[in-house]
């Protein structure tokens, strides 16, 4: 079981595309990718989860870490492409309150701003 | 309850996806369990197995993890047993909502809360010799549930 | 060989698809085993399990069937163990080609021949207490096989 | 695990469409369907296996039984839509020597005749 990672850019946003199952086996790969982007100064990140149909608590923790890393560097961290079952897990854990969803087909200027 | 299927795996994260495949396959033997509930059970069992693997890692243990599945008419029961150091589930400190100041510093703490929400019943028996988590999902929709 | 995964199932045909799902999942842990070989192993193990279920049925036995998976670098080994009446694999009468007159009258006899063709190694140990079929598939392509 | 069975007709041929895995659990359903058609006088049968990606020895035996039943009633029994892995099993067991494949997109008059 492998995670497939790739990335693209929209304006000043880096989109990290994830495919596979995110769990304790594959999570470290994802964390590493996020850390790398932030350390390279790409602090506006969207995690595209369209091709992820399973994420466990380890994966949720890595996304929490992503939010923290991006924000503490003055950036932002969003997600997109949540399936029904991911949406359920995000709302059950309250992750949806700090990790806002965006629509990659819409221009970033229309994305809901952070209210801080 | 008759534990119909027994699965023993090495205490290694690579086997998590196999455990999930077995949950999905075992749960689908019961035609009346909807996909949503199978997903819930799959995640809950995956969480319990992840904690079991972590528990063994803390002891540097090579023991295997045992997972038992019982299916009968109106409930599916899954038991995840480790030989780790054990813990006291009563004294767990909930990490608090993610919107709390500083909560984002901590990436863990989602496992047991998720299992509690996803399963219809959960019991955790833990002692020095190890921990057994028992997860139950009802096959009939919650509205038809008998009183506990 | 270290038997990494152990699976015990009730002796019921409904569980055959679960056994196949576990074979596919376990075999895919080894990135180097091609889809074709995974299919071969899946069918061979399914055949051995089918024979085990039939053997238990002959004794009206409720015992479970045990399937052990061992994966190491260059081979995958699967063992299917039943507590049926046993048989003598040496004295099996091959049914002959389907084009023989009268062969179409008989619908059985494909299981063991298929296992023998599909697996790279097969051993059958059978006694009054039951039968154990051991199937091995090499992970490296046949051209790289060691002499054996 | 269920088998899904349906049927259609082309000329005087009955096409039985099978979807799922054919094994000792699901095989009896398929045998019953074949027996029913033959007993209703539909003795020219094609088993469409396009949506079958697994068949075990029990399933092969049922197909052998189908060949026997159809022929002994003066009819014929063919298959179609074999995937690579089914093709392999058919050839390993020699089933392909008595169960000829047809192309359902071609007219039945063009199908290879039985040489008996
Ligand atoms: N099977 C187990 N054996 C020992 N300790 C456990 C086990 N399961 C959970 N725990 C303890 O409970 C804590 C909370 O678990 P959990 O809610 O899954 O979050 P996390 O694993 O991210 O800390 C763990 O940190 C661990 O100390
Ligand atoms: N596990 C087993 N226990 C007892 N007898 C067995 C077992 N496996 C195979 N056999 C015997 O070997 C025979 C041939 O098996 P096989 O080639 O799979 O074809 P089939 O099962 O269709 O007869 C069976 O009919 C049975 O008598």
């Amino acid at each position: 079981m492998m995670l497939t990672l790739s990335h693209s850019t929209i304006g000043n946003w880096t989109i990290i595309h994830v495919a596979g199952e995110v769990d304790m086996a594959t999570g470290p790969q994802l964390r590493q990718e996020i850390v790398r982007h932030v350390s390279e100064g790409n602090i506006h990140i969207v995690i595209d989860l369209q091709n992820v149909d399973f994420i466990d608590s380890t994966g949720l923790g890595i996304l929490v870490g992503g939010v923290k890393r991006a924000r503490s560097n003055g950036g932002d961290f969003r997600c997109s492409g949540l399936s029904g079952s991911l949406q359920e897990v995000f709302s059950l854990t309250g992750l949806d309150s700090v990790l806002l969803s965006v629509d990659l087909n819409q221009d970033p200027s229309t994305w809901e701003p952070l209210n801080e | 309850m008759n534990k119909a299927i027994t699965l023993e795996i090495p205490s290694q994260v690579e086997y998590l996806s196999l455990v999930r495949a077995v949950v999905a396959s075992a749960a689908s033997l019961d035609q009346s369990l909807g996909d949503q509930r199978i997903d819930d059970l799959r995640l809950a069992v995956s969480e319990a197995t992840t904690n079991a693997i972590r528990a063994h890692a803390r002891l540097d243990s090579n023991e295997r993890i045992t997972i038992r599945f019982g299916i009968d008419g109106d409930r599916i029961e899954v038991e995840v047993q480790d030989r780790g150091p054990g813990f006291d589930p009563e004294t767990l400190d909930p990490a608090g909502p993610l919107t709390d100041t500083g909560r984002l510093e901590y990436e863990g703490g989602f496992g047991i809360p998720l299992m509690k929400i996803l399963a219809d019943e959960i019991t955790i028996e833990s002692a020095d010799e190890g921990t057994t988590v028992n997860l139950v999902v009802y096959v009939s929709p919650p509205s038809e549930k008998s009183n506990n």
Side-chain angles (χ1 to χ4, degrees), chain A, chain B:
Chain A
M1 195 55 59
M2 290 278 292
L3 216 55
T4 307
L5 298 170
S6 61
H7 58 97
S8 57
T9 49
I10 302 184
N12 69 338
W13 289 84
T14 299
I15 323 296
I16 302 179
H17 308 278
V18 190
E21 302 190 337
V22 186
D23 64 8
M24 191 168 48
T26 61
Q29 253 183 283
L30 176 59
R31 181 186 284 109
Q32 204 174 18
E33 179 82 354
I34 295 171
V35 169
R36 184 174 68 80
H37 281 289
V38 173
S39 72
E40 288 172 359
N42 304 319
I43 55 175
H44 291 87
I45 292 177
V46 177
I47 291 282
D48 171 16
L49 297 167
Q50 194 183 342
N51 293 312
V52 171
D53 66 355
F54 180 85
I55 189 163
D56 78 349
S57 64
T58 321
L60 301 178
I62 290 166
L63 298 181
V64 167
V67 172
K68 186 207 66 186
R69 282 192 180 87
R71 290 197 191 165
S72 63
N73 283 280
D76 196 1
F77 193 91
R78 306 283 179 105
C79 67
S80 75
L82 300 188
S83 68
S85 81
L86 258 64
Q87 220 148 24
E88 192 205 0
V89 176
F90 279 40
S91 105
L92 288 177
T93 54
L95 186 61
D96 56 358
S97 62
V98 292
L99 180 58
L100 304 182
S101 263
V102 301
D103 182 347
L104 289 177
N105 296 317
Q106 307 272 313
D107 191 86
S109 65
T110 68
W111 296 350
E112 192 182 345
L114 274 193
N115 46 358
E116 285 193 279
Chain B
M1 137 135 354
N2 167 32
K3 297 286 162 31
I5 305 170
T6 306
L7 176 68
E8 279 181 32
I9 56 157
S11 191
Q12 293 168 19
V13 293
E14 288 76 20
Y15 291 83
L16 285 168
S17 60
L18 182 131
V19 170
R20 291 194 295 268
V22 175
V23 174
S25 206
S28 71
L29 288 173
D30 195 311
Q31 307 284 342
S32 45
L33 195 66
D35 284 353
Q36 176 60 59
R37 292 327 307 280
I38 293 179
D39 278 355
D40 291 349
L41 184 64
R42 199 166 65 119
L43 177 51
V45 174
S46 190
E47 295 298 336
T49 309
T50 298
N51 283 347
I53 293 172
R54 282 211 183 97
H56 283 200
R58 244 172 273 150
L59 294 185
D60 254 328
S61 161
N62 279 325
E63 295 240 34
R64 294 194 289 169
I65 290 160
T66 305
I67 302 159
R68 297 186 184 84
F69 301 78
I71 307 171
D72 84 11
D74 54 1
R75 50 197 268 145
I76 297 189
E77 181 172 343
V78 186
E79 193 177 278
V80 179
Q81 183 181 10
D82 67 53
R83 284 87 176 172
F87 73 116
D88 184 355
E90 303 298 321
T91 62
L92 279 183
D93 214 4
L98 285 165
T99 44
D100 282 6
T101 315
R103 172 63 180 93
L104 292 178
E105 297 300 322
Y106 178 54
E107 297 187 6
F110 293 114
I112 292 179
L114 259 179
M115 282 188 256
K116 286 189 174 161
I117 301 171
L118 295 169
D120 290 316
E121 293 175 24
I122 175 171
T123 52
I124 303 180
E125 281 173 40
S126 195
D128 292 349
E129 313 83 58
T131 301
T132 300
V133 176
N134 191 287
L135 299 158
V136 176
V137 163
Y138 302 143
V139 168
S140 48
S143 56
E144 294 171 35
K145 268 193 231 175
S146 62
N147 283 341
N148 203 28

